[in-house]
Amino acid sequence: MADNRPKKSRKRRHRSPDIPAKRRQTDPPQASQSRPQPYIPPNELLRCLGLFLHQRCSKLSPSTIWPIRWLRNIDTHLLVAGYQSKNFLSSGSVVFLYMLCRDLISPEIDSMEELQASLLTCYYITYCYIGIELGYPPKPFLKGGSRTAFWERCISYSQIMSSKMMKINNDRQFYREVLAELKAMGR
């Protein structure tokens, strides 16, 4: 059976020469929010994080290298174990980690073990929040102390920081502020 309905004509719509094909004007607030961030290598941001921890924990005066080694060792372990296909330590993950450390690592820490436990708990939360897997094994993040203490810290830290974790993910201006603060540590 043949279809007897009239066919719709396909007319080309021509644009007026007065109207540009793409509008190039944007709101000034939108333009500033969509501006790409300058690339800062993760190594540079890790160095700044190490300097921050050195200043924050002045009682211990930890070397700026040790915290970076702790983080890199875990990153390498999870890469080799197949939990990730590439290094996790990127500029964005270091900024997120710094935000957690800034608010959660106390200047009153008494030992390197306590600093390492607190830093690695922040790192585990960073992995769980930003990482590609649904769950990561806690074993590489456990240094000294008990599993129970680790999980209690994870829950406590997550409750304290949940609003900021959402904010840094959704608010570019807040991300820029945290990034600028971290970069300032390296000066």
Side-chain angles (χ1 to χ4, degrees):
M1 278 183 112
D3 189 11
N4 293 335
R5 287 184 279 175
K7 293 184 180 181
K8 293 181 183 179
S9 66
R10 293 186 182 187
K11 292 184 181 178
R12 287 190 174 182
R13 294 183 185 176
H14 297 283
R15 294 181 191 220
S16 167
D18 304 302
I19 301 172
K22 291 185 178 180
R23 298 193 187 273
R24 299 191 196 284
Q25 294 177 335
T26 60
D27 261 344
Q30 288 177 345
S32 66
Q33 285 183 351
S34 63
R35 209 174 358 174
Q37 292 297 312
Y39 176 74
I40 301 165
N43 291 339
E44 178 63 23
L45 293 177
L46 281 170
R47 185 184 70 78
C48 294
L49 179 63
L51 290 168
F52 162 76
L53 292 170
H54 181 76
Q55 291 172 3
R56 171 64 58 99
C57 303
S58 58
K59 283 183 179 180
L60 301 174
S61 67
S63 165
T64 58
I65 296 171
W66 281 108
I68 296 168
R69 280 191 184 158
W70 298 335
L71 301 175
R72 287 196 184 281
N73 285 342
I74 292 172
D75 197 39
T76 302
H77 173 78
L78 292 175
L79 186 64
V80 170
Y83 282 95
Q84 56 196 25
S85 58
K86 60 182 181 176
N87 288 335
F88 177 74
L89 288 169
S90 65
S91 298
S93 64
V94 176
V95 170
F96 189 92
L97 176 61
Y98 166 73
M99 178 194 67
L100 295 178
C101 292
R102 175 189 72 182
D103 291 358
L104 297 171
I105 294 182
S106 169
E108 304 301 319
I109 286 181
D110 293 342
S111 68
M112 288 296 278
E113 292 78 23
E114 193 178 349
L115 171 62
Q116 187 177 27
S118 192
L119 174 63
L120 296 185
T121 302
C122 290
Y123 195 37
Y124 183 77
I125 292 169
T126 302
Y127 256 98
C128 291
Y129 193 80
I130 298 176
I132 59 169
E133 292 295 323
L134 293 178
Y136 289 91
K139 188 176 180 182
F141 300 89
L142 292 171
K143 299 297 178 194
S146 69
R147 281 183 172 273
T148 304
F150 172 76
W151 290 117
E152 286 173 358
R153 270 193 317 276
C154 281
I155 290 169
S156 172
Y157 287 7
S158 295
Q159 287 174 340
I160 292 167
M161 296 300 293
S162 64
S163 64
K164 286 188 179 178
M165 290 178 351
M166 296 281 286
K167 187 174 183 178
I168 200 167
N169 196 33
N170 295 324
D171 185 348
R172 289 182 182 178
Q173 183 58 36
F174 182 64
Y175 177 85
R176 284 189 197 111
E177 290 167 8
V178 175
L179 174 61
E181 190 178 314
L182 177 57
K183 284 189 334 188
M185 290 293 156
R187 292 183 193 150

